[in-house]
Amino acid sequence: MKNLFVLLTLICTYIFSLGQATVTREVVKEDAVPLAVKNTQTVIFPNTTVDRWEKASGTIKGKSGTKYIAIFKQFDQRVRARFQEDGSGISATTYYAGTKLPQAIQDAAAANYAGYKLRSGERIQSLKGNQKFVFRIRLRKGSQKLVVYVDENGKEMEKKSVPSEMTEDEGVEG
């Protein structure tokens, strides 16, 4: 009976581990970044200089891969652009303080989330050819925090309606 319990525990642990994310991120030198990635970065974001390159490798939801992340400034805003190893773009995130977000988003947040303060937000752009973008805004009221996806007019969007490359974290999926 004890052996059966140990076996079942091991099986459950293994199955549970399959769904877990194991991602490592490291800063890499520019010469370690594939030429295709650097070329795509230059085409999509001309006249910018990458301050730092990162490499994310690992497995998420059973899917293994590597992607490269370029960190730079564009129009005085911090940007993180994500690329597959073959140079294809995934997404780019531009970070904003709440007061620097477009006025339409600030106004909609004030109207739709009374009592909440608009803390910050990101403009997330798909780099997969469709060039769509959404905003992810962060609001706070006391200890309550909200993260909401909105369009350029501040209209709330369901997360499931936002393309996956625009909702991802720094993992390896793309």
Side-chain angles (χ1 to χ4, degrees):
M1 191 63 148
K2 184 178 178 183
N3 288 340
L4 180 61
F5 177 74
V6 171
L7 179 62
L8 287 174
T9 302
L10 288 173
I11 291 170
C12 289
T13 302
Y14 173 74
I15 291 170
F16 181 73
S17 71
L18 290 177
Q20 298 300 305
T22 55
V23 178
T24 58
R25 241 181 35 207
E26 61 182 311
V27 174
V28 294
K29 293 184 178 184
E30 185 174 346
D31 59 2
V33 177
L35 184 59
V37 172
K38 292 187 283 191
N39 287 342
T40 303
Q41 164 69 22
T42 301
V43 168
I44 295 175
F45 301 100
N47 305 316
T48 60
T49 301
V50 175
D51 297 323
R52 184 174 80 234
W53 284 100
E54 294 178 357
K55 178 180 176 181
S57 301
T59 304
I60 295 180
K61 298 177 188 168
K63 197 175 184 180
S64 295
T66 298
K67 70 179 175 184
Y68 290 87
I69 303 153
I71 296 134
F72 57 95
K73 280 200 169 187
Q74 186 177 42
F75 310 116
D76 292 325
Q77 299 300 127
R78 187 169 54 98
V79 179
R80 295 176 71 83
R82 296 159 195 81
F83 303 93
Q84 298 288 357
E85 281 183 289
D86 66 2
S88 56
I90 301 170
S91 64
T93 303
T94 305
Y95 298 87
Y96 296 90
T99 58
K100 298 287 186 182
L101 285 161
Q103 194 62 50
I105 292 174
Q106 292 182 52
D107 293 345
N112 296 331
Y113 304 99
Y116 283 86
K117 179 176 171 79
L118 180 58
R119 305 292 294 177
S120 63
E122 301 101 25
R123 180 183 185 267
I124 308 167
Q125 176 183 357
S126 173
L127 300 180
K128 290 194 168 193
N130 57 19
Q131 300 296 310
K132 293 176 82 172
F133 67 90
V134 299
F135 286 87
R136 180 173 46 212
I137 59 172
R138 299 174 191 291
L139 304 122
R140 188 172 191 147
K141 177 168 62 172
S143 63
Q144 293 180 340
K145 297 177 184 178
L146 286 178
V147 176
V148 180
Y149 288 88
V150 298
D151 65 15
E152 68 273 9
N153 299 313
K155 182 180 177 199
E156 187 171 342
M157 304 171 68
E158 288 188 42
K159 184 176 179 180
K160 66 182 179 183
S161 71
V162 178
S164 64
E165 73 268 14
M166 297 165 72
T167 62
E168 71 166 303
D169 295 321
E170 294 295 328
V172 296
E173 285 187 292

